[in-house]
Amino acid sequence: MRRAVILLPLLLLGGCSCQRHGDDSTPPPAPPAADAPTAAPDHAPAAATALAAAPLAALSAVAAGADDESTVVRDYFNALMRGDRATADAFWSGGQPASHADDAALRRLADHPEQADVRSLRMDSDLPIARDDAHPSRLREVPVRIRVVTGERTLRFQGWYRLQPRADGSGWEIHGASLQPVLD
């Protein structure tokens, strides 16, 4: 009885030797050739096979060919800095920013570039970040860094612009912004 109790755990740990093993001299079966087409199982419907073969279209919340989020922010920035307020405001949802835009310091600077003696401007953006759980994302955030060189000093701003699809899905529009001055 004692032998059976000792042998039982050994059989469970070591595996059962009652399985048939192939002869070591027999070569393993050759893998299927890479060029050979794989056949669908007989029980798979033809529609499922056709669906698996079709390429998947990229998911996007806006129309194909629309500018990406970073390009929309860059175009807004360029219109604003050219002093084209109507074009810049058209990038916002509803055709204008809120009464007190969160990028107000940048907008004031654009309104009076001669007073600030602006010599150069630069905006860098990072990859957009999804800010919702929808697939595809319908709220995207574009992190930005802006550097403005004036005759007296260099101003730096850091923050983000949030974008959402236009109502007709033709592209992205700015939903909100947050720009803060960066102290050196």
Side-chain angles (χ1 to χ4, degrees):
M1 177 72 159
R2 244 185 176 161
R3 282 189 214 166
V5 173
I6 294 173
L7 288 177
L8 184 60
L10 289 175
L11 287 175
L12 293 175
L13 291 175
C16 182
S17 64
C18 60
Q19 295 175 356
R20 185 172 191 177
H21 295 285
D23 194 11
D24 288 342
S25 62
T26 358
D35 296 341
T38 55
D42 291 337
H43 62 280
T49 305
L51 182 61
L56 293 176
L59 296 176
S60 178
V62 297
D67 287 338
D68 64 24
E69 302 91 325
S70 297
T71 301
V72 170
V73 171
R74 186 168 308 280
D75 290 348
Y76 163 71
F77 178 75
N78 288 334
L80 188 62
M81 292 301 122
R82 280 193 320 267
D84 188 354
R85 183 56 73 98
T87 300
D89 287 351
F91 282 95
W92 286 82
S93 67
Q96 63 184 359
S99 59
H100 178 70
D102 291 334
D103 64 348
L106 191 60
R107 293 176 72 84
R108 273 193 306 273
L109 185 65
D111 285 343
H112 308 289
E114 68 286 345
Q115 291 177 355
D117 190 21
V118 175
R119 299 200 176 160
S120 73
L121 297 160
R122 180 180 175 108
M123 183 188 82
D124 294 315
S125 63
D126 292 332
L127 292 174
I129 302 165
R131 288 298 179 200
D132 62 358
D133 292 331
H135 295 286
S137 175
R138 299 189 56 79
L139 185 61
R140 308 284 295 197
E141 184 175 286
V142 179
V144 296
R145 289 170 311 285
I146 299 170
R147 188 177 127 223
V148 181
V149 177
T150 69
E152 298 177 10
R153 63 184 183 253
T154 300
L155 304 170
R156 293 183 190 343
F157 300 94
Q158 185 171 334
W160 47 259
Y161 284 89
R162 284 204 179 135
L163 292 93
Q164 65 187 12
R166 292 191 178 279
D168 62 1
S170 63
W172 294 99
E173 63 185 3
I174 300 172
H175 171 68
S178 176
L179 286 181
Q180 305 299 320
V182 176
L183 302 174
D184 290 333

